[in-house]
């Protein structure tokens, strides 16, 4: 549809009511909605007509999308009116953005962004607002509410109590989510900006979580249960994770029987990576980072009072694909027969020190076949159990028969 035709139609409607609209301005508004925000022409026509009707104080020529909608019903591509409470505000990532955060009602929550050029009034944390003619698009696979110059923002004075809706971890989807979950693993951070990362779990499954530095956030305690309200649910390579910097989390005295979705892989360990064997960890409470050979922690610097640990970083190949695997102390001890205490004793009395443990573990497991099971995160299998594959004479005989050979 030609936007000039739409402009002419809107202009005639207004002129019939005694208004004298600026056609160039009307077409500019239409073009911005259609070309910049991807709004379909029909919806753009309704919106511009409604906005101009209010502007010229005329009635009977159409209206904008003023029907109040529950947040959980809105989808990308819609122009909507919602009422919600600002439950999180985050620093804008660009000068073109005036404000970002999360707005929620009793049905759900959605991330929003206010463009700087919209000159919209800033919304305050903890207050309710009515947003008219905001547009919903999609950002990183999740619905995202955009507040532009055509959006009307009005503060709702009544402070309605808001109870977040808890979602089982298995039913989370990109966007905003609230969960009741237990901290089942506390991992080494992989970035200087990262305060904490690990694994949260409930009865339906587990999910990776991240807390970034800079928001005066506290760390979560291992094995503790929390109510986490309004976390950001991100998706990367088909896997979901929770970013807790937008969230409020409250400790819960109860407990959760965490359900685990485990992956099982059979194959040979074809590579033992550096950093395997006996390692040193930072003793500072809540840190747990791996130290360098000089006992240096990237955050807490030199730590002479380190503590020892065992781990194995390897590649398991099933003949079709290779998978990075990570085993913690208990699995390594069971697989190699070397306990942490024995490893420390060997390292402290052997000329090769900690390298001796690396070589012993490598010689024990490299090239051997195992069945490993655990949770997959970021392309790596976090192994909960690993058992050697036992030689089956009958299976070997069957293979030789198929190949037409004889046993050696």
């Amino acid at each position: 549809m030609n936007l000039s035709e739409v402009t002419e139609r809107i202009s005639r409607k207004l002129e019939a009511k005694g208004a004298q609209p600026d056609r160039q301005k009307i077409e500019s508004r239409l073009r911005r909605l259609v070309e910049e925000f991807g709004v379909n022409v029909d919806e753009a026509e309704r919106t511009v007509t409604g906005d101009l009707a209010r502007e010229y104080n005329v009635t009977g020529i159409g209206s904008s999308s003023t029907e109040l909608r529950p947040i959980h019903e809105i989808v990308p591509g819609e122009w909507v009116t919602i009422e919600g409470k600002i439950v999180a505000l985050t620093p804008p990532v660009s000068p073109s953005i005036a404000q970002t955060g999360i707005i929620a009602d009793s049905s759900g929550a959605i991330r929003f962004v206010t463009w700087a050029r919209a000159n919209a009034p800033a919304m305050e944390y903890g207050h309710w607002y009515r947003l008219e003619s905001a547009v919903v698009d999609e950002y990183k696979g999740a619905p995202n509410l955009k507040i532009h110059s055509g959006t009307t923002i009005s503060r709702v004075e009544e402070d309605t109590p808001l109870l977040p809706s808890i979602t089982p971890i298995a039913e989370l989807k990109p966007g905003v989510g609230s969960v009741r979950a237990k901290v089942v693993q506390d991992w080494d951070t992989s970035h200087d900006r990262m305060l904490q990362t690990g694994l949260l779990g409930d009865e339906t499954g587990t999910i990776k979580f991240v807390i970034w530095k800079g928001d005066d956030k506290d760390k979560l305690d291992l094995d503790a249960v929390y109510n986490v309200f309004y976390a950001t649910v991100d998706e990367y390579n088909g896997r979901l994770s929770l970013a807790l910097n937008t969230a409020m989390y409250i400790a819960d005295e109860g407990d959760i029987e965490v359900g685990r979705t485990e992956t099982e892989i059979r194959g040979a360990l074809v590579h033992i990576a550096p950093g395997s064997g006996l390692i040193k960890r930072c003793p500072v409470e809540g840190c747990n980072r791996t130290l360098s050979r000089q006992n240096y922690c990237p955050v807490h610097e030199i730590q002479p009072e380190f503590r020892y640990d065992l781990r194995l970083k390897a590649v398991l190949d099933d003949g079709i694909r290779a998978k990075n695997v990570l085993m913690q102390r208990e699995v390594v001890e069971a697989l190699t027969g070397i306990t942490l205490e024995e490893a420390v004793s060997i390292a402290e009395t052997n000329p090769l020190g900690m390298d001796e443990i690396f070589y012993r573990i490598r010689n024990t497991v490299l090239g051997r076949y195992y069945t490993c099971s655990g949770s997959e995160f970021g392309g790596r299998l976090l192994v909960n159990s690993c058992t050697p594959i036992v030689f089956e004479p009958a299976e070997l005989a069957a293979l030789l028969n198929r190949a037409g050979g004889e046993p050696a």
Side-chain angles (χ1 to χ4, degrees):
M1 184 180 294
N2 190 320
L3 292 183
S4 298
E5 296 177 2
V6 179
T7 300
E8 186 64 26
R9 187 160 57 240
I10 295 174
S11 300
R12 289 179 179 176
K13 288 179 182 177
L14 290 167
E15 289 169 348
K17 295 290 182 178
Q20 296 182 339
D22 183 338
R23 283 172 167 73
Q24 186 176 2
K25 186 177 179 181
I26 294 174
E27 184 166 351
S28 175
R29 289 189 182 186
L30 287 168
R31 195 168 298 284
R32 186 179 182 191
L33 294 175
V34 173
E35 297 179 354
E36 189 172 344
F37 292 102
V39 178
N40 65 63
V41 175
D42 291 340
E43 182 66 29
E45 180 178 358
R46 285 193 292 272
T47 300
V48 172
T49 303
D51 289 347
L52 291 174
R54 288 197 300 272
E55 188 175 319
Y56 287 104
N57 196 27
V58 298
T59 58
I61 61 167
S63 60
S64 60
S65 302
T66 56
E67 179 187 357
L68 190 61
R69 301 278 302 280
I71 287 179
H72 83 282
E73 287 186 359
I74 61 179
V75 296
E78 290 187 317
W79 283 66
V80 297
T81 293
I82 64 168
E83 286 187 2
K85 184 176 184 177
I86 304 301
V87 296
L89 290 172
T90 54
V93 297
S94 166
S96 63
I97 296 175
Q99 197 171 36
T100 59
I102 294 174
I103 186 168
D105 65 11
S106 58
S107 72
I110 188 172
R111 287 180 283 192
F112 72 87
V113 56
T114 304
W115 297 111
R117 60 192 175 198
N119 293 320
M123 295 183 284
E124 298 180 32
Y125 175 82
H127 291 284
W128 284 77
Y129 292 89
R130 180 182 178 92
L131 308 181
E132 297 183 18
S133 297
V135 65
V136 186
D137 69 356
E138 189 172 294
Y139 178 69
K140 294 184 177 180
N144 190 59
L145 195 67
K146 287 189 174 179
I147 297 170
H148 52 90
S149 57
T151 304
T152 301
I153 302 176
S154 53
R155 183 163 165 171
V156 178
E157 295 302 331
E158 184 180 359
D159 186 12
T160 306
L162 183 61
L163 182 63
S165 176
I166 297 296
T167 303
I169 285 177
E171 298 178 14
L172 287 173
K173 56 185 180 181
V176 179
S178 300
V179 299
R180 179 177 182 269
K182 182 177 182 178
V183 183
V184 293
Q185 292 184 11
D186 188 359
W187 301 339
D188 288 344
T189 55
S190 57
H191 195 284
D192 289 344
R193 291 183 51 243
M194 194 179 288
L195 177 66
Q196 187 181 21
T197 183
L199 200 64
L200 288 172
D202 67 6
E203 297 85 350
T204 66
T206 57
I207 188 170
K208 174 185 174 183
F209 76 91
V210 176
I211 304 174
W212 299 97
K213 293 179 180 175
D215 288 334
D216 298 326
K217 289 290 186 181
D218 296 324
K219 286 187 175 182
L220 305 181
D221 295 330
L222 185 63
D223 295 326
V225 175
Y226 291 88
N227 290 296
V228 180
F229 301 139
Y230 306 121
T232 302
V233 187
D234 295 316
E235 182 178 18
Y236 180 72
N237 284 341
R239 299 188 183 282
L240 299 181
S241 63
L242 286 177
L244 269 54
N245 289 72
T246 60
M248 173 176 59
Y249 35 90
I250 302 171
D252 189 312
E253 295 182 352
D255 197 6
I256 291 177
E257 187 68 28
V258 176
R260 297 179 183 276
T261 303
E262 293 203 337
T263 300
E264 182 179 284
I265 302 177
R266 292 163 58 92
L269 287 176
V270 297
H271 174 67
I272 308 301
S276 298
L278 189 64
I279 61 172
K280 300 173 183 175
R281 292 195 183 277
C282 179
V284 176
E285 183 178 358
C287 181
N288 207 39
R289 288 178 174 81
T290 305
L291 303 183
S292 70
R293 286 181 175 271
Q294 292 74 36
N295 305 332
Y296 183 82
C297 172
V299 175
H300 303 101
E301 301 184 343
I302 299 297
Q303 294 295 322
E305 301 299 326
F306 57 83
R307 66 178 183 83
Y308 282 113
D309 195 6
L310 278 174
R311 74 175 178 186
L312 181 59
K313 300 166 65 178
V315 176
L316 186 70
D317 194 322
D318 65 1
I320 298 176
R321 60 174 182 166
K323 173 70 70 177
N324 291 318
V325 298
L326 176 63
M327 304 180 195
Q328 300 296 341
R329 172 188 169 183
E330 293 76 11
V331 180
V332 176
E333 289 180 332
L335 204 64
T336 63
I338 302 174
T339 66
L340 176 62
E341 292 73 18
E342 291 170 343
V344 173
S345 176
I346 293 170
E348 291 179 346
T349 58
N350 191 288
L352 291 179
M354 294 168 62
D355 288 342
E356 175 68 18
I357 305 304
F358 173 83
Y359 294 131
R360 290 194 185 197
I361 289 178
R362 187 187 66 177
N363 295 340
T364 301
V365 301
L366 186 63
R368 288 174 170 77
Y369 286 78
Y370 296 94
T371 300
C372 296
S373 60
S375 304
E376 285 192 79
F377 289 97
R380 173 177 292 177
L381 184 70
L382 306 178
V383 178
N384 296 319
S385 66
C386 196
T387 56
I389 296 177
V390 180
F391 171 68
E392 295 287 352
E395 185 177 350
L396 176 60
L399 290 173
L400 287 170
N401 288 335
R402 288 174 55 190
E406 297 178 353

